[in-house]
Amino acid sequence: MESDLKEIYERISKAVELPPYKGFASLKDIANAMDKILIELNERRKDCTKLLEEHIEELSKTYQEIATLFELNNLLANVMDPEEKLDALVELLKQTIPFFAISIELDVMDKHTNYEQLFDFDRDLFERSIRLIEQDDQVLLIEPSQNNLVRNLLSVPVKSSDIVWGRITLVERSPDFFTAADRKILEATAQLLASICERYVRLKREVERQRLKEQLEIARQIQKKLFPSRLPSLSYVEISADSIPAIQVRGDYYDILVKDDKVFVTVADVSGKGIPAALMMTSLRSALRTLYRTIDDISKLAIELNNALCDDLEEDRFVTMILLCLHSNGVLQFVNAGHNPVLLLSGSDLKSIRAQDMPLGIIKDITYKMFEAKMKPGDLLVAYTDGVTEARDKNGNEYGFERLYNQILMTREKTAVEIIERIKADVDDFSYGTQRHDDTTITVIKYLGENLT
């Protein structure tokens, strides 16, 4: 009996702190010892139950926080507009954080969001509480006794990298104070909102890019129709021309107009690029096609064009231009208004005729000098824009005048169309692998002779 009691006592001692076994004098001693053991075990049970309940409560809170974050992520994962689903967002936050008022303020490009929701909270007190927030990128936490106006407040910035999109603010937590878990949930919500802001910006920029692309394509199609759709077929001259834009719309311009026994040819380069240059080119074309009908003298035509452009163009805009008239008998008259040199090949003599006057559209009522020559059968005239001679290779070297001269000399026996194709191919080979930085326009005139049919 004694040995059995001792063994039971020692086994219980491993789980419960008991004094060393000293034996029992009577059954009463045994009963008292057992009572002490039961009391101790009951206290231990109460402590374990309390600890277990606390752990369960903590796990429940953690589960609720994780569930809230998961639901927030699902709610906002594919949202593109910062103002979308804010009501549902607030409802989710309210399930985890017992606040009385919320403010979400965002500034994203052209969209300003000022979302507020109060739950039995004084409007005036709410507005005064919001004014406590400083406009910076720091978390603001006001705890009880820190401020006489509001009991507690938690505000976190909505930011990504160095961009602050706005803030999300909770006012008056009940019944106690905002916890570290509350802050984590609100910061995670702010990060999700920041992601929406970034998506919104990317979407807006892509929409604008696509819209601009569509508008540029429309402008390109319209501008394409402003160039001659078909070059004239004349017995005394071959004319070929081509223009390649650096971007969708161009500032280069060429035109070929026939009147009686002569042909008017122009090659022009409008300052700038893109839509502004394209609009200026349209204005130039309109003026030229109106004036050439009544003015035969190239010098006078240049003067009138200049005056018209001075009225239309802004102060920092101008047009360089080659304006020429070739008569069926080979008489060539032209004006070089600030443009690249015209190349005239006659026999084995290749002349470079440089500009003698300033571009059009700068000063009104100035005189333009007219150059005159007599072309013989087989003579060539080449007019071009900067995109040819200033084309660059991968090392930054320019195509240059000398290489253009050589191409003209090597292809002089070809047709005007073939000469242009050879020049274009050579420029492309030279600048292979580089971005075209300027419009490229080439016009070739090959005089055949007056009596040819």
Side-chain angles (χ1 to χ4, degrees), residues 297-307 310 319 321 334-338 356-363 365-371:
D297 186 281
I298 290 296
S299 179
K300 290 181 180 179
L301 182 56
I303 292 170
E304 293 302 319
L305 272 175
N306 175 62
N307 289 340
C310 283
V319 178
M321 174 184 276
F334 72 86
V335 168
N336 186 338
Q356 297 180 342
D357 299 299
M358 69 173 59
L360 306 178
I362 299 177
I363 301 174
D365 299 321
I366 62 172
T367 300
Y368 285 88
K369 301 179 184 67
M370 183 177 69
F371 176 88

Side-chain angles (χ1 to χ4, degrees), residues 41-90:
L41 287 173
N42 191 48
E43 291 298 321
R44 287 298 182 91
R45 181 188 63 78
K46 290 180 180 178
D47 291 343
C48 288
T49 300
K50 183 180 179 182
L51 183 62
L52 182 59
E53 288 174 349
E54 290 174 352
H55 284 175
I56 291 174
E57 184 180 0
E58 187 66 27
L59 285 172
S60 178
K61 288 181 179 179
T62 303
Y63 173 80
Q64 181 62 41
E65 292 163 5
I66 294 172
T68 299
L69 291 175
F70 181 76
E71 290 182 45
L72 282 169
N73 186 68
N74 284 341
L75 176 69
L76 303 178
N78 297 312
V79 173
M80 305 301 293
D81 189 331
E83 293 182 345
E84 187 180 347
K85 296 189 177 180
L86 290 183
D87 286 335
L89 181 152
V90 172

Side-chain angles (χ1 to χ4, degrees), residues 206-383:
E206 179 62 19
V207 169
E208 290 172 2
R209 189 183 70 81
Q210 289 297 331
R211 184 182 295 118
L212 178 60
K213 183 178 179 182
E214 291 172 4
Q215 291 173 347
L216 285 173
E217 178 59 23
I218 292 170
R220 187 184 72 82
Q221 293 296 335
I222 293 173
Q223 190 183 51
K224 185 178 180 181
K225 294 179 181 179
L226 299 179
F227 285 83
S229 58
R230 185 175 58 190
L231 298 181
S233 177
L234 302 170
S235 62
Y236 58 91
V237 66
E238 285 182 2
I239 302 176
S240 181
D242 197 6
S243 182
I244 305 167
I247 54 179
Q248 282 183 296
V249 291
R250 70 196 95 187
D252 280 8
Y253 171 61
Y254 73 84
D255 210 345
I256 300 162
L257 304 167
V258 178
K259 182 181 177 183
D260 300 327
D261 62 343
K262 49 187 172 290
V263 59
F264 291 86
V265 179
T266 184
V267 176
D269 188 354
V270 177
S271 63
K273 293 181 177 66
I275 296 295
L279 292 173
M280 290 169 59
M281 187 271 275
T282 304
S283 178
L284 170 64
R285 177 185 185 274
S286 177
L288 174 64
R289 291 202 162 209
T290 299
L291 292 170
Y292 99 98
R293 300 177 189 277
T294 57
I295 302 175
D296 288 336
D297 186 281
I298 290 296
S299 179
K300 290 181 180 179
L301 182 56
I303 292 170
E304 293 302 319
L305 272 175
N306 175 62
N307 289 340
L309 291 175
C310 283
D311 292 333
D312 292 344
L313 303 185
E314 298 176 3
E315 291 183 0
D316 59 341
R317 300 286 183 177
F318 59 88
V319 178
T320 68
M321 174 184 276
I322 299 296
L323 186 61
L324 65 86
C325 176
L326 176 63
H327 296 253
S328 61
N329 61 5
V331 173
L332 174 68
Q333 300 165 324
F334 72 86
V335 168
N336 186 338
H339 199 76
N340 300 88
V342 173
L343 303 179
L344 181 59
L345 177 62
S346 181
S348 60
D349 183 23
L350 181 60
K351 292 181 180 179
S352 174
I353 307 170
R354 300 183 178 277
Q356 297 180 342
D357 299 299
M358 69 173 59
L360 306 178
I362 299 177
I363 301 174
K364 291 187 74 171
D365 299 321
I366 62 172
T367 300
Y368 285 88
K369 301 179 184 67
M370 183 177 69
F371 176 88
E372 186 168 317
K374 184 72 183 310
M375 295 186 75
K376 300 188 293 291
D379 286 357
L380 288 176
L381 184 143
V382 180

